[in-house]
Amino acid sequence: EAGVTQSPTHLIKTRGQQATLRCSPISGHTSVYWYQQALGLGLQFLLWYDEGEERNRGNFPPRFSGRQFPNYSSELNVNALELEDSALYLCASSLPRGEQYFGPGTRLTVT
Amino acid sequence: AQSVTQLGSHVSVSEGALVLLRCNYSSSVPPYLFWYVQYPNQGLQLLLKYTSAATLVKGINGFEAEFKKSETSFHLTKPSAHMSDAAEYFCAAYLLNSGGSNYKLTFGKGTLLTVNP
């Protein structure tokens, strides 16, 4: 069974640009979660989508947004990129209140 | 606020020694609990989970964890460390969010395990 997949693996952007990150969950999982892992800051919860709806949001500005498509895949958009947005962005999927399975991550570098 | 605390951001052991990584949670109701491992530049991999069945949970790679309600703890152990165990370990729990409206998987800050030859 295929695990959680994320694309691209690496993304390099310039300050002020927009970044789009994609995630495909494990088949049958309806919940998708996004996390930011910046150096020295640990794992920070960004967004939770379930059945196409945003269920919860972490303490991030509105320029971090996303959506979940009918096939349960998800997209994370980061507008007006800042240098401190450089981080590993992890996507996870789960059944309701089940264990979360993580993808390999997208390394975003903002220069 | 409900939280997950990992004692020790860095633990160093010798190869073959006991590994003990500590995790405590704050919640009035015992939550579902998890341990994850992260190798450099990779995503998190689930090691084991506690979902109110047996209090001693066995996971992959020889790791196990014991849920102790009285101590609100879920410490991770492995009898004999191997060089390949060097990684960062995260404890997590499903806790009510600050609004009390739904559960969110809350992570501890992680413990970096170093294994010395």
Side-chain angles (χ1 to χ4, degrees):
Chain A
E1 181 182 308
V4 177
T5 59
Q6 292 186 244
S7 62
T9 305
H10 293 92
L11 191 56
I12 300 174
K13 293 287 186 178
T14 303
R15 193 169 51 184
Q17 286 187 317
Q18 178 197 37
T20 299
L21 289 65
R22 295 179 177 83
C23 172
S24 291
I26 290 172
S27 177
H29 286 187
T30 59
S31 283
V32 170
Y33 311 81
W34 287 96
Y35 296 87
Q36 182 196 66
Q37 190 175 31
L39 204 61
L41 295 180
L43 207 60
Q44 304 290 324
F45 167 74
L46 262 167
L47 290 159
W48 168 26
Y49 291 95
D50 182 64
E51 297 284 0
E53 301 282 332
E54 182 180 303
R55 301 297 185 185
N56 204 350
R57 183 182 181 85
N59 189 25
F60 281 84
R63 58 190 186 84
F64 286 84
S65 65
R67 53 181 172 167
Q68 186 178 33
F69 298 100
N71 67 354
Y72 302 114
S73 67
S74 177
E75 205 172 78
L76 173 69
N77 293 294
V78 188
N79 293 320
L81 284 165
E82 300 178 4
L83 294 177
E84 52 264 35
D85 296 334
S86 295
L88 181 67
Y89 288 83
L90 294 167
C91 172
S93 74
S94 79
L95 295 169
R97 284 198 68 191
E99 57 270 28
Q100 292 183 17
Y101 292 89
F102 284 77
T106 293
R107 173 74 62 186
L108 173 63
T109 302
V110 183
T111 62
Chain B
Q2 300 189 343
S3 63
V4 175
T5 303
Q6 290 183 242
L7 189 63
S9 59
H10 189 187
V11 170
S12 183
V13 300
S14 298
E15 193 172 17
L18 171 72
V19 175
L20 170 61
L21 304 181
R22 300 177 188 274
C23 173
N24 289 85
Y25 66 90
S26 66
S27 171
S28 56
V29 176
Y32 288 0
L33 293 154
F34 309 86
W35 274 101
Y36 287 86
V37 60
Q38 186 179 32
Y39 299 100
N41 296 311
Q42 294 186 25
L44 276 66
Q45 180 182 4
L46 181 67
L47 271 178
L48 48 80
K49 62 179 180 180
Y50 167 77
T51 56
S52 73
T55 56
L56 184 62
V57 182
K58 293 188 183 300
I60 61 171
N61 302 338
F63 283 93
E64 62 182 34
E66 185 173 11
F67 170 71
K68 291 188 177 180
K69 183 179 177 181
S70 60
E71 299 177 7
T72 61
S73 69
F74 190 56
H75 302 331
L76 182 71
T77 59
K78 182 174 181 177
S80 176
H82 192 272
M83 297 294 288
S84 61
D85 295 327
E88 188 153 24
Y89 292 80
F90 292 91
C91 180
Y94 267 111
L95 301 173
L96 276 174
N97 64 0
S98 55
S101 57
N102 55 43
Y103 287 87
K104 187 181 79 172
L105 190 62
T106 302
F107 285 85
K109 293 188 181 301
T111 297
L112 183 64
L113 175 67
T114 302
V115 182
N116 303 307

